[in-house]
Amino acid sequence: MGSDVGTGAAARVFAVPSLESQVALVQQHQTETLLFCPDPWALRHRFVNQETGEVVRARCNRWNCLYCGPRKVDRWRQLIKLAEPTLFVTLTKVGWRLEEAARTYTTVLQYVRRGSKGLGLHRVGARPAYPIESFAVLEEHQDFERVGFHWHMLVKGVEYLPKQVMSDALRSATKGRSYIVHVASVKKMHAVGYVTKYLTKEITTEKRGMREALREVIEHRIDDQGHMVEARSMQTVEVLSRARRIRYTRGFFPASTAELRSRLFTNLDNPDEVVIDQAVSPDLDESVQQAESEEATQRVKSSAWVLHEHEEFSREIEDYRARRQSALVESVELLRDGRSLYSRRVVGIWAYQRRRASAAAVAQSKSARKG
C-alpha cells in the first residue's frame, strides 16, 4: 500500500506536461529549429517513400539553417571519423581571395605528394614524397585585412609529416609570403570536431569573397542629336566568388567516388558545394570517370524517395505561420511518442550556430546605429 502511494506521488510530481504546454515551452525558448526546418519551401513539401509509404518533411539543406546546418555538420563529422585521419595541419596566410587560397592548397599538396629528385649529380634539394590524402576547410581569420584565410586540414596516409616540409611547401606556394604551419598528431577525434566546426563557422557566413570577372556592360546615353543610344563594352568587375571552402582528395574517404557521392550528397548536400581535388590525384581515364558518373546517377535514380508538394505556394504570411505551427505540433507529438529527433552532437552544434547568428545580428544592429 505504501509503495502504491509513493508511486502515485512520484507520478504527480513528474507528470508529463500536456501537448499544448510543451508546444508553448518550445515557442517560449525558441527551440523550434531543433525540431523542423523552418524554410517556407520545406514546410510545404514532403518526401514520400514509394515502397513503404513513409512520409518525412523536406529540408532546405542550407548550411545557415539552424535545423539543416547542424545535421549536415554532424554527418560530415561521422564520415570523417570513418576516414581515420592521423594528422591535423594548419596552413596560415594562404590568400585573401578564395581562388587564391584554393590554388595555394592545391600547390601545397602537389609539392608534398610529388617530392623532388633534386638537381645535379648530388641531388641538391631532393626530398621524399609523402602520399597524403586530405580533407580541408577554409577559415577566414578575424584580422582578415592583415592575415586573410587559413586552411585547416585533416591528413591521412602517413603517420609523420615534417613541419619543415609543410613550411617549405607553403613558402613555395605563396612565393615566400607565408611559411607558418602547424602539424600535430590526431591522437583523439577532438581534431575532427575542431576542423568540422568550421563547417558551421565559415560555410554559413555570407561573406564568400570576391573575384574579378569580365562582363559586358550596357550603358545608355543621349547623343548629339538627342537620341537615346546604347553603348556596350567589356569591363572587369568584381563578383561573388564560387570557389569552395570544403576540399578533399580522392583517396581520403574509404569509398569509391560514386559510392561517396551517393552516401554524402543524396538528401544531404549539393555536390557543387564541395570540391574533389582532381589536380592532386592520379589522372583517370575518361571512360572510368564516365562510368563512375553513371553509377552515381543510377544510385540516385534508384532511390524510393520522391519529392511531393504537400501544400500549394502562398505569399501570405499567415499561411506560413500556420504551416510552422503545424510542423511544431507534429514534431512535439513525435517526441511524446518516443521518436528521437536530434542527438547531443546536433544540439551542441545547433547551440553554437545559434550563438553565432545572435552575435552577428547584434553586431549588425550596432553597425546600423553607428551608420
Side-chain angles (χ1 to χ4, degrees):
M1 181 69 178
S3 176
D4 292 339
V5 172
T7 302
R12 288 193 297 273
V13 172
F14 298 103
V16 177
S18 65
L19 175 64
E20 293 75 14
S21 298
Q22 284 187 289
V23 169
L25 281 173
V26 171
Q27 292 175 323
Q28 178 184 347
H29 296 285
Q30 299 180 348
T31 58
E32 302 101 315
T33 47
L34 266 177
L35 304 177
F36 63 90
C37 176
D39 180 77
W41 178 90
L43 287 175
R44 63 186 188 88
H45 283 82
R46 304 287 188 275
F47 279 102
V48 181
N49 191 312
Q50 293 180 309
E51 296 177 357
T52 65
E54 183 182 1
V55 179
V56 297
R57 288 187 171 274
R59 291 165 44 180
C60 70
N61 271 339
R62 291 199 299 265
W63 287 104
N64 60 355
C65 172
L66 280 172
Y67 180 85
C68 301
R71 286 161 176 80
K72 286 161 70 77
V73 173
D74 184 49
R75 291 200 189 184
W76 273 103
R77 186 171 293 178
Q78 301 311 307
L79 287 170
I80 293 170
K81 284 184 178 180
L82 291 176
E84 298 182 345
T86 56
L87 297 171
F88 173 49
V89 178
T90 298
L91 307 176
T92 65
K93 290 187 178 181
V94 294
W96 282 261
R97 292 178 180 270
L98 296 188
E99 283 81 4
E100 181 185 10
R103 286 195 300 270
T104 299
Y105 169 77
T106 301
T107 304
V108 166
L109 286 182
Q110 290 173 337
Y111 181 103
V112 174
R113 297 179 70 170
R114 293 175 180 176
S116 174
K117 295 180 180 180
L119 300 174
L121 295 175
H122 299 289
R123 303 296 184 186
V124 177
R127 63 179 187 277
Y130 295 87
I132 65 173
E133 303 292 346
S134 171
F135 175 93
V137 177
L138 193 63
E139 175 202 6
E140 184 177 299
H141 195 271
Q142 290 183 346
D143 188 2
F144 185 77
E145 294 298 324
R146 185 178 66 86
V147 181
F149 289 111
H150 291 342
W151 279 111
H152 294 283
M153 305 164 56
L154 288 168
V155 173
K156 62 181 288 187
V158 296
E159 296 295 329
Y160 173 69
L161 190 59
K163 184 177 180 179
Q164 189 60 50
V165 169
M166 295 303 298
S167 179
D168 291 343
L170 181 58
R171 191 193 302 270
S172 175
T174 59
K175 297 180 172 57
R177 183 190 68 243
S178 179
Y179 56 89
I180 299 175
V181 301
H182 173 77
V183 181
S185 174
V186 179
K187 297 179 180 179
K188 296 182 179 180
M189 286 296 102
H190 295 314
V192 174
Y194 183 78
V195 171
T196 52
K197 79 174 184 179
Y198 291 106
L199 295 176
T200 295
K201 180 180 177 183
E202 298 303 327
I203 300 299
T204 59
T205 182
E206 294 182 359
K207 184 178 180 182
R208 292 187 51 83
M210 306 297 289
R211 64 183 176 90
E212 291 184 349
L214 195 62
R215 295 289 176 85
E216 183 181 42
V217 177
I218 302 176
E219 297 179 339
H220 293 88
R221 59 183 178 83
I222 306 297
D223 63 12
D224 296 337
Q225 286 73 39
H227 300 126
M228 178 73 71
V229 296
E230 181 180 276
R232 296 173 177 264
S233 62
M234 300 301 293
Q235 297 182 14
T236 300
V237 297
E238 285 198 338
V239 297
L240 279 176
S241 174
R242 291 185 177 180
R244 310 308 178 200
R245 297 191 182 209
I246 311 174
R247 306 181 76 92
Y248 63 89
T249 56
R250 182 177 293 277
F252 182 81
F253 290 99
S256 68
T257 303
E259 184 180 352
L260 177 61
R261 285 183 178 274
S262 177
R263 289 173 57 191
L264 213 56
F265 301 137
T266 303
N267 295 332
L268 174 61
D269 289 296
N270 182 340
D272 292 336
E273 291 180 343
V274 187
V275 171
I276 303 177
D277 285 292
Q278 305 283 6
V280 295
S281 301
D283 293 333
L284 296 180
D285 184 84
E286 290 185 2
S287 61
V288 176
Q289 293 182 353
Q290 183 177 0
E292 286 188 340
S293 178
E294 290 176 355
E295 182 183 349
T297 302
Q298 183 62 34
R299 287 175 180 269
V300 174
K301 287 184 178 179
S302 63
S303 173
W305 291 95
V306 176
L307 183 65
H308 170 68
E309 186 177 33
H310 185 68
E311 297 184 63
E312 294 183 356
F313 172 78
S314 173
R315 295 184 181 276
E316 297 296 328
I317 187 64
E318 292 304 324
D319 289 338
Y320 170 73
R321 289 172 177 168
R323 290 167 185 170
R324 183 160 177 156
Q325 182 69 16
S326 175
L328 174 56
V329 172
E330 179 183 319
S331 299
V332 173
E333 286 178 336
L334 291 174
L335 283 177
R336 292 170 66 90
D337 290 340
R339 180 80 64 87
S340 177
L341 300 185
Y342 47 79
S343 66
R344 185 174 62 181
R345 295 187 306 271
V346 166
V347 172
I349 301 167
W350 170 84
Y352 173 76
Q353 186 168 333
R354 191 165 79 152
R355 287 196 302 270
R356 284 187 55 81
S358 177
V362 171
Q364 185 176 5
S365 176
K366 289 182 179 179
S367 178
R369 287 200 297 268
K370 290 181 180 179

